[in-house]
Amino acid sequence: MSVPALFNQPLVVAKEAVPKVIMGGETGSKPKGFMTSYPKLSKMPVGQQIFDIYKGRLEQFTGRGQYEKENLLAMMDEGRASGEECCSLSVYSPPNLSRPTFKAATSHKFKPTKIGESFGPSWSTHWFRICLKIPSELRKKRHLEFHWDANNEGLIWSHDGEPLQGLTGGGERTEWILPEAWKDGKEHIFYIEMACNGMFGNAPGGDSIQPPDPNKYFWLQKADIVAVNVEARALFIDFWILGDAAREFPRDSWESHEALQIGNSIINAFELGNQESLVQCRKLAEKYLGEHVNSAKVYDNDKEVLVYAIGHCHIDTCWLWPWAETKRKVARSWANQCDLMDRYPEHRFTCSQAQQYKWLKQYYPSLFDRVKEKVKKGSFQPVGGSWVEHDTNMPSGESLVRQFIYGQRFFESHFGERCRTFWLPDTFGYSSQLPQLCRLAGMSRFFTQKLSWNNINNFPHTTFNWVSLDGSQVICHMAPSETYTADAHFGDVKRSVSQHKSMDQDATSLLVYGKGDGGGGPTFQMLEKLRRCRGLSDTVGLLPRVKMGDSVEDFFDRLETRAKKGTDFVTWYGELYFELHRGTYTTQANNKRNNRKSEILMHDIEYLSTLASLRDVVSEQKHGYRYPKEDIDDLWEMILLCQFHDCLPGSSIEMCYDDSDKLYEEVFERGETLLTDALLALGYTFYDSSKTERDILPLKGLNTLAWSRVENVDISKSLRSNIDKPSQYALVSDNEGVIMKPSGKASVKEVTKGVFQLSNDEYVVEMSSGVITSLYDLVNKREVIPKGGKANQLVIFDDKPLYWQAWDVEVFHLETRKELHASKTFIAESGPSRVSVVTETKISAKSWIITTVSLSASHRGSPSYVQIESEVEWRENMKFLKVEFPVDIRNTEASYETQYGIVRRPTHYNTSWDMAKFEVCCHKWADLSEHDYGVSVLNDSKYGFATCGNLMRLSLLRAPKAPDAHADMGRHYIKYAILPHQGPVGSTTVRTAFNFNNPLRLIAPISPEEARLGDNMLSSIKFTGDESLILDTIKRGEDDEDVSRGELAVREGRSIIIRIYDSLGGRSRGTLETKLEVKRAWKTNLLEDDQEPVKIKQIGSSYTIDVELRPFEVGTWRLQL
């Protein structure tokens, strides 16, 4: 009973118990002496314990050093055996850093080896055959393990080729439990596949992000049979948690002092060499940890839980190691988890990235079957729904869609379910349209923790609703432990509540634990520690109660249930900007260029292949063309893989970019073939300069976008004619072909020495010393460059972040700005279709840049812009190259294209939140506008940008030296443009940026008849309406009967998938019109599930569908033919 309750009770006394009172206060009864057993005399002095001294004593009991032969560590083993008699070792070392399969490796001759020998170099593989015979003195021991340590990673294989368990090395996960059957005194053979790399690659010294040492060698330090003292190991973990409680609970708490008392009692009770003393010590620990910590029974009660622990193994698909090593990391890590699930029934493990599951299926089929079995039982839980844990800043909108399509289809086809939670714990910021895309991909939840790394502002929420540009929301949880690789320490559990920022709405949290980044996942020690943390919470209290056995989905289900019952979670609108790793928008420029070009290539392939595969629908003529679904899937999977969050951002070692370069080379080679094949099926071919003019005329421009276009095309390498000689350019229309008489002209002249003037019907551009000093808009009668301003000014900065070189650029780099000055400027082209001025600039003794500023003849209906092309030889060291555009525009916000929309960010530094965005991500354009006028800067492969006041700045190249010592070194080709426009940012900017990135290409008909059929198909799908609407994707249905690869249920007939989005942020309407006979139509989600039937109107031989989208909505339609 509590004290207040006690004092509120009525006083009741028995009548006979009341003594008779006599005058003077004495009672009527005879006085009796009070008897007590408490000693009358003090036996000896007892001093107060000095807390810090006794706390320090705890470390002696389990620590290395001068006492390790006298403390608990001396009793961890009951016996140990090694050497040739019990453990015979032989090795096969494959040549040329190859990684052979088990079958291939074990077919070779093995040579004897022994402990103490070294193996290398870095990235090499060595296969060991271990012939094991347990000595008689160990056969009756309770628990036997094989301990192997070469300070590198390895995988244990059975004698018949089954992958059993991964090894980490360096004291981490070095044990393998020997089968009971091996205690028979016979020889048993197994294999270890040694990888000559540590968990975090091969960096020299202790700094893991430094470029790897190619000549690193590893010494085999241990190959022992060990009889483990099970009681000593259990006591070790008991004492670990007790010590943490003494140290981490508040010093003025009873719980801390009690842990300290029990810990010291255990030390006092311990007797070296006395097994029974270990039992007594564990009984003492039970007073604090409870009696059920030896099994999953510790979780079997209904007490309130705040922390839900889930095992996880984050494996970077590439980072400080190449993809080939990742494939082995997956096998090592997931084999470990399957083993732990057999030993710990409460263990639940979650892992994302469909690509890694596919690799497991390809290279370790038996282990994949084992994983499938665990998935079916619910202990191994796929999560994430995406192909890889990808970057979300730089991939296009369609790339984000394909991450979900390929990810969800893999999970559904192999495990029977789609994922419901998007899982990106380690990606460098989260773009504003992700909530919408998640909902359209069947996911309503999102997990991350990366914003805890912010180096300026602390993100204010733990559990919240994250709202997209279109208003879609997902419930987001950011682990308050602020890690996705928790060690399951006492402190991790404690911080899961103490650092929780949303307890007003819900106090529960996910604790995501397990070795990560380099793989590994949870260890048995982690599972044991969590049992003791739970026992402690139930027995003593104060530590938040942790639960095992639930899934990620269970956790989010509870949050969604709370929301249904009225809990209003706080909201966060727009992007989750990461205040760190801003340099990743720029690092590894050629890799980013390949990404942009491959995305555009896939758009064109799918569009033309769709039309080609349906040609018979219009012409009623059979043809042999088949939609190349398998090739398209292959290419998309390569591109999606390269968008992994350490590959596309540029934060991996050089080997990774050697790998991605090869993949992109294959994408472009196979992609061009697919494009050519589809075009041939449509009656056209790309112009071949070997043909005579008579053979190929009339030419036309191939336009794969949804609006008509007229633009300058480089004809110097493709058209041998007298058109516009000596210029290399001519106006080309997608409808009219080459325009013989363009409506406008461009001119250039040197006004005074070193000062040039370029002009067309819309602009007059003045250049002096290689920079643009004036850009006058003739139509709007407005000067774009402020007085004294220098546009296209190249500037260079010192670039030495606090630590993460390839990742970070810090705000202080802006203080080191230096202008680069031209050494030579001259006229290169003099019109009339295009004029250009070339500037040569020396950056340093080893680096230079050649910049071509050009202006094309304007054409009615086509926006004109100033184009800049640069060729750069870049050999710098920790420098950052940018180009500046001061503009005579004032606004406190600038606009940046993001996937399927626009992000508006401050141009000022009013608050620390504003200042933190000193470098941001954009896609094809950035814009600064007033209400009636603005300027856009377009680019063809850049992502880093900044707008400070009226200064727009495009980031071009960096030169970090870690983890790739040669990042960005070499030749680069860069293209960008200045586009002034009337009014605020609008469709002119959006569409011109699309045109800029996808220029017209000259095509020629195979024959007049084929061309007529092709033209009919190329014009068979049209889209009209509000210019804010972008028809972004045309493709075939994933499961059409003539397309499907059989992974999911086949749909009868043929269909077309159309994806359209609103690009400007307003309610928009349009009409989709097609000559193809549409029988039925639906609005679908991204996964092409039919959702809303759509009305089809037939007008003559055309079929139309009305389209209406809310601001920034992404809509997908399936047209059944």
Side-chain angles (χ1 to χ4, degrees), residues 298-310:
V298 72
Y299 299 106
D300 290 347
N301 63 59
D302 296 327
K303 295 179 180 178
E304 183 185 14
V305 172
L306 291 180
V307 182
Y308 294 85
I310 187 76

Side-chain angles (χ1 to χ4, degrees), residues 609-624:
S609 297
T610 296
L611 298 182
S613 69
L614 301 173
R615 176 177 160 176
D616 60 304
V617 176
V618 173
S619 67
E620 298 184 356
Q621 294 180 4
K622 291 185 178 180
H623 62 91

Side-chain angles (χ1 to χ4, degrees), residues 157-437:
W157 294 79
S158 69
H159 73 282
D160 56 354
E162 290 295 316
L164 300 176
Q165 182 189 307
L167 301 166
T168 300
E172 290 275 359
R173 212 184 314 255
T174 59
E175 75 288 338
W176 176 52
I177 299 174
L178 293 174
E180 282 293 315
W182 287 18
K183 295 179 180 179
D184 58 4
K186 299 178 181 179
E187 289 187 344
H188 298 274
I189 293 174
F190 65 100
Y191 294 85
I192 293 180
E193 178 188 12
M194 175 193 284
C196 282
N197 54 266
M199 185 65 81
F200 292 92
N202 280 310
D207 189 349
S208 63
I209 72 164
Q210 293 307 306
D213 177 357
N215 294 304
K216 203 168 183 179
Y217 281 75
F218 298 84
W219 277 260
L220 179 57
Q221 304 165 12
K222 188 182 298 183
D224 299 347
I225 301 171
V226 180
V228 176
N229 188 332
V230 177
E231 287 294 334
R233 179 179 279 180
L235 178 59
F236 183 92
I237 299 174
D238 290 344
F239 199 83
W240 190 340
I241 297 302
L242 275 166
D244 282 349
R247 288 182 289 268
E248 297 196 39
F249 275 148
R251 183 165 173 168
D252 60 357
S253 68
W254 167 83
E255 292 84 355
S256 172
H257 284 267
E258 181 69 3
L260 184 62
Q261 295 307 306
I262 292 176
N264 275 276
S265 296
I266 288 172
I267 297 174
N268 294 337
F270 173 75
E271 294 180 14
L272 184 63
N274 184 346
Q275 187 70 16
E276 183 58 31
S277 76
L278 297 179
V279 176
Q280 295 304 313
C281 288
R282 293 214 66 208
K283 288 191 176 186
L284 288 171
E286 275 186 17
K287 296 179 181 179
Y288 202 85
L289 302 178
E291 59 182 343
H292 299 305
V293 296
N294 295 319
S295 72
K297 188 178 179 181
V298 72
Y299 299 106
D300 290 347
N301 63 59
D302 296 327
K303 295 179 180 178
E304 183 185 14
V305 172
L306 291 180
V307 182
Y308 294 85
I310 187 76
H312 180 50
C313 172
H314 179 70
I315 304 177
D316 285 316
T317 304
C318 68
W319 182 31
L320 304 176
W321 50 87
W323 286 323
E325 198 54 47
T326 305
K327 297 168 186 176
R328 301 201 294 188
K329 284 178 175 285
V330 171
R332 292 190 287 258
S333 302
W334 295 4
N336 291 338
Q337 300 316 306
C338 289
D339 174 64
L340 286 174
M341 289 168 196
D342 293 336
R343 295 155 55 194
Y344 292 87
E346 74 268 31
H347 183 33
R348 298 294 179 270
F349 175 76
T350 194
C351 220
S352 65
Q353 307 196 75
Q355 173 69 85
Q356 294 184 5
Y357 287 84
K358 182 175 181 179
W359 280 338
L360 193 72
K361 181 183 177 184
Q362 287 176 316
Y363 301 108
Y364 305 89
S366 63
L367 181 54
F368 182 76
D369 289 341
R370 193 177 174 197
V371 166
K372 284 188 72 173
E373 178 191 341
K374 300 299 184 185
V375 171
K376 190 174 182 179
K377 290 181 178 179
S379 36
F380 196 116
Q381 300 159 353
V383 74
S386 57
W387 190 248
V388 294
E389 288 188 14
H390 52 92
D391 178 72
T392 76
N393 289 311
M394 291 168 284
S396 67
E398 190 61 30
S399 285
L400 296 183
V401 169
R402 299 310 172 95
Q403 288 284 354
F404 291 142
I405 288 177
Y406 283 91
Q408 291 284 51
R409 288 178 65 83
F410 184 92
F411 291 127
E412 183 179 8
S413 63
H414 288 86
F415 305 118
E417 290 185 2
R418 295 171 178 173
C419 300
R420 293 190 289 153
T421 299
F422 188 32
W423 185 272
L424 281 186
D426 193 31
T427 295
F428 313 149
Y430 306 93
S431 59
S432 53
Q433 285 286 48
L434 281 176
Q436 179 180 186
L437 300 182

Side-chain angles (χ1 to χ4, degrees), residues 31-46:
K32 296 180 180 180
F34 179 70
M35 304 301 293
T36 177
S37 62
Y38 192 77
K40 181 177 181 181
L41 300 177
S42 173
K43 186 176 181 181
M44 67 179 69
V46 178

Side-chain angles (χ1 to χ4, degrees), residues 19-20 22 25-35:
K20 185 177 180 180
I22 304 175
E26 301 91 346
T27 63
S29 59
K30 187 176 179 180
K32 296 180 180 180
F34 179 70
M35 304 301 293

Side-chain angles (χ1 to χ4, degrees), residues 873-1055:
E873 179 67 18
W874 183 247
R875 301 286 177 185
E876 295 305 292
N877 181 37
M878 300 183 190
K879 298 291 183 181
F880 202 151
L881 179 67
K882 305 186 184 187
V883 61
E884 296 179 341
F885 307 94
V887 293
D888 194 12
I889 302 289
R890 292 188 63 82
N891 198 324
T892 56
E893 287 185 327
S895 300
Y896 303 86
E897 187 190 39
T898 188
Q899 301 96 342
Y900 299 130
I902 298 172
V903 177
R904 292 181 171 87
R905 301 182 178 110
T907 61
H908 54 78
Y909 294 163
N910 281 3
T911 69
S912 59
W913 292 89
D914 300 324
M915 188 191 73
K917 296 178 181 178
F918 62 84
E919 181 84 3
V920 298
C921 184
C922 74
H923 278 228
K924 297 185 292 294
W925 57 265
D927 182 89
L928 186 63
S929 290
E930 298 167 354
H931 82 93
D932 61 345
Y933 196 81
V935 177
S936 300
V937 175
L938 318 179
N939 74 83
D940 78 333
S941 61
K942 297 298 169 187
Y943 296 92
F945 208 93
T947 307
C948 183
N950 70 334
L951 181 64
M952 306 178 77
R953 192 164 48 221
L954 178 66
S955 297
L956 302 180
L957 294 169
R958 298 185 69 223
K961 299 304 172 188
D964 177 1
H966 305 107
D968 284 318
M969 297 298 98
R971 194 65 56 91
H972 297 269
Y973 299 91
I974 304 167
K975 189 169 75 169
Y976 49 93
I978 310 170
L979 174 68
H981 57 82
Q982 188 175 14
V985 63
S987 60
T988 296
T989 293
V990 173
R991 294 192 172 195
T992 304
F994 268 99
N995 297 348
F996 189 73
N997 278 265
N998 198 345
L1000 293 177
R1001 294 178 64 179
L1002 288 174
I1003 57 174
I1006 297 171
S1007 68
E1009 182 182 353
E1010 289 291 317
R1012 280 193 296 273
L1013 292 172
D1015 289 343
N1016 208 9
M1017 287 307 300
L1018 289 169
S1019 61
S1020 63
I1021 300 174
K1022 294 181 179 179
F1023 185 67
T1024 57
D1026 292 341
E1027 291 191 350
S1028 61
L1029 290 174
I1030 302 297
L1031 198 169
D1032 194 47
T1033 298
I1034 296 177
K1035 64 183 285 290
R1036 290 296 305 276
E1038 292 288 323
D1039 297 311
D1040 289 357
E1041 61 184 3
D1042 64 327
V1043 169
S1044 170
R1045 299 177 65 189
E1047 63 266 50
L1048 293 173
V1050 176
R1051 278 179 168 145
E1052 291 185 4
R1054 293 188 282 183
S1055 66

